[in-house]
Amino acid sequence: MSSTHENPRVVVIGAGIVGCSLADELTARGWTDITVLEQGPLPAPGGSTSHAPGLVFQTNPSKTLTALARYTVEKFTSLDVDGVSCFHQVGGLELATTPERLAELHRRAGYAASWGVRGEIVGAARCKELWPLIDESLVLGGFHTPDDGLARALLASRAQMARACARGARFLDRHTVTGIEREDGRVTGVVTDRGTFPADHVVSAAGFWGPVIGRMAGIDVPLQPLAHQYARTGPLPELSGATAEASKPILRFQDRDLYFREHTDRIGIGSYAHRPLPVDPFAVLPYDEARARSMDMPSSYPFTQEDWAPSWADCRELMPGLRDAEIEAGFNGVFSFTPDGMPVLGESRRLRGFWLAEAVWVTHSAGVAKAVAEWMVDGRPSIDLHECDLTRFEQAQRSPSYVLERGAQQFVEVYDVIHPLQPMERPRPLRVSPFHARQQQLGACFLEGGGWERPHWYEANAPLVDALGPLPARDAWSARHWSPVAAAEAKATREGVALYDMTPLRRLEVTGPGSLDFLDRMTCNNLRKKPGAVTYSLLLDASGGIRSDLTVARLASDRFQVGANSPADLDWLLRHAPADVHIRDITSGTCCVGVWGPLARDLVQPLTPDDFSHEAFGYFRAKETYIGHVPVTAMRLSYVGELGWELYATADLGLRLWDTLWEAGRELGVIAAGRSAFNSLRLEKGYRAWGVDMTDEHDPFEAGVGFAVRMDRDDFVGKAALAGKGEATRRLTPLLLDDPAAVVLGKEPVYVDGLPAGYVTSASYGYTLGRCVAYAWLPAGLPTGTGVHIEYIGEKVPATVADEPLFDPKMTRIRR
């Protein structure tokens, strides 16, 4: 945060639930010069908030979204307008009518236990008690969450608006934004049809108009508005005499993409079962023009009866009482989707002081507002938001056609049972490494991440499975996007040599006379080593939280290659880089092969003029050399716990590099191996994955990467905060499942002494160890050998706290 004012001038664009919540959160923190601009009339300006049905289900596979929803429930429950609460806590109920959905509800109950939401799996009879209108014979069970309910979004907007105004904020309706003023890379004001408003900070909380505001600021907002059907029945005899707005839990019938809520003696029904109905945000009518065309508001499109008919039949099957009912009213309401279904939050680096708080549903609105307010006032949010960060999308994921296609697919899949490894089907392939053609020839099974095609195993290695002996049988869920070939590839890596495509891992080139001082200040390990050194280090924020982990190779006195994680790492470094430091993302123009296994040296040494012996080329060292005809940067690193090198080359020579290694490795039995084996091997070795095992909510010591922190060196970002931290109360803890046949996948709750005490981050079967390995955040101080239980699809699976690293603790296999 930077500003020329002690009380910065903030302009919030949009007075929907997000804008009102943000004004309240900012003024509560002492920023009172807040102007909220709204193009429509207040208090119901015509955006998504004005038509939102208000269902709040807190539980989500994302820990972040669950935390945002929990705060929203907490805050709205504490607010009222004229004695009417802004949250009606009737609870939530999700129904299962298929065995697959019932298993999914057990997983959702696990998420709830992991993230601190009350919930339980209930039988069909209890579902009938909670919702007497349903046909109990169709129901196998349900997931009941007593703290969920109905957010009264317009009331919550009014309540927060009043609080913000009492602290000095002002809300101006009928102000249409027409431009964003800027100077020297900073926002300076907002232009409207009724005047210009100077600003030190501008927040776009414009909902599905976000891309319109973003274009004015020169910022692309990867958001696609889509219309969603909502209908309301006429009065129902079963609800006659009702006086309360609702008395039954909000209801989800995900097997038919439907949800239900009461409106006193009527039922409101929302459907995701219809075709995607994308809306052009630049073509949405202004409020008055929409009203003139007999639309309730700009966000309310005419009901499309042909899309509704199949859903209405499903409703009547679930609730026989609806068979004589009629639909009294309906509309297609517009709201926002992103390519990954998450909000878009944060400050633009290209236009400092311009913030996004977009693609936010009512469910998460107050939580998002709190997090963004903390970010603006304190410099960081109190919870991890990397899944929501506006920088998270790759450039290849920002095209309008990509945002439209993936956004529409997110709509289709809102209620689908999605496996954690399940990739989107389109548009693919998008990004491929230079080795892609060879991988296809080897029968690669590709999953996708960051737009990259990533081999998870190769069918060419299927004959190796026979030599493994019997593997434990997998349940249907853990067997998805998995193959026993992964076990064979892990074994071949431990015993021979394998090639791993590491191209999708981000690579940055940092050069210039100030590069050493800059990287030394931004990271916490010692980088002041001679050229040729490689250092594992961390990017910390000012509070000591782990923003990312890096490998930093010093290739020359003022030239570094940095192995990073997400686009946010590049953005973070560019925000802080002085003029004499140049940072370039070289990922797309380069490629990388990991050559790992006890025979790795036997493979590469005959191909290079340099000495690759342990004495001449030690661990965590780098050399610029040749592999055959290909110039490479070779780094002696191993993320799988075996001898080997990462070999980097330019993309144009990548295929030649692969072919050179492949031909030379034939007599050694070289194989190509995928990320499924890779993940198993790295967990056996205890190597962390940023964004999964650790985030900026964690400090290095509790995350088990304190060895990368040099507290005795000069100042670095986060040092003061780490120095002031007390004893850790939680630890990232390795667990071994007791049953050799048991498997967990991640995000499951962990029980200590019968009570939920933490959750699994990463998990994979350890083929070398013959047990599933799981890492979990648990209370500090649990001694080795402590028995715990992990809840997996409703079953309590015993596991034991273990010492790490679980495999090769003396590092003899890597350092040879």
Side-chain angles (χ1 to χ4, degrees), residues 69-84:
R70 285 182 63 192
Y71 180 77
T72 300
V73 168
E74 176 187 325
K75 183 176 187 182
F76 288 0
T77 302
S78 72
L79 299 175
D80 70 84
V81 175
D82 299 330
V84 178

Side-chain angles (χ1 to χ4, degrees), residues 258-315:
L258 293 165
Y259 64 80
F260 304 82
R261 59 153 294 181
E262 295 167 283
H263 292 280
T264 312
D265 62 350
R266 295 160 168 82
I267 292 179
I269 308 163
S271 171
Y272 293 99
H274 56 84
R275 62 195 166 94
L277 300 168
V279 172
D280 180 358
F282 294 89
V284 176
L285 297 175
Y287 185 91
D288 292 327
E289 189 173 342
R291 296 284 288 179
R293 296 194 186 186
S294 300
M295 294 166 59
D296 289 339
M297 60 190 80
S299 62
S300 178
Y301 278 52
F303 195 63
T304 48
Q305 186 64 42
E306 67 275 14
D307 292 310
W308 174 250
S311 290
W312 186 226
D314 290 332
C315 294

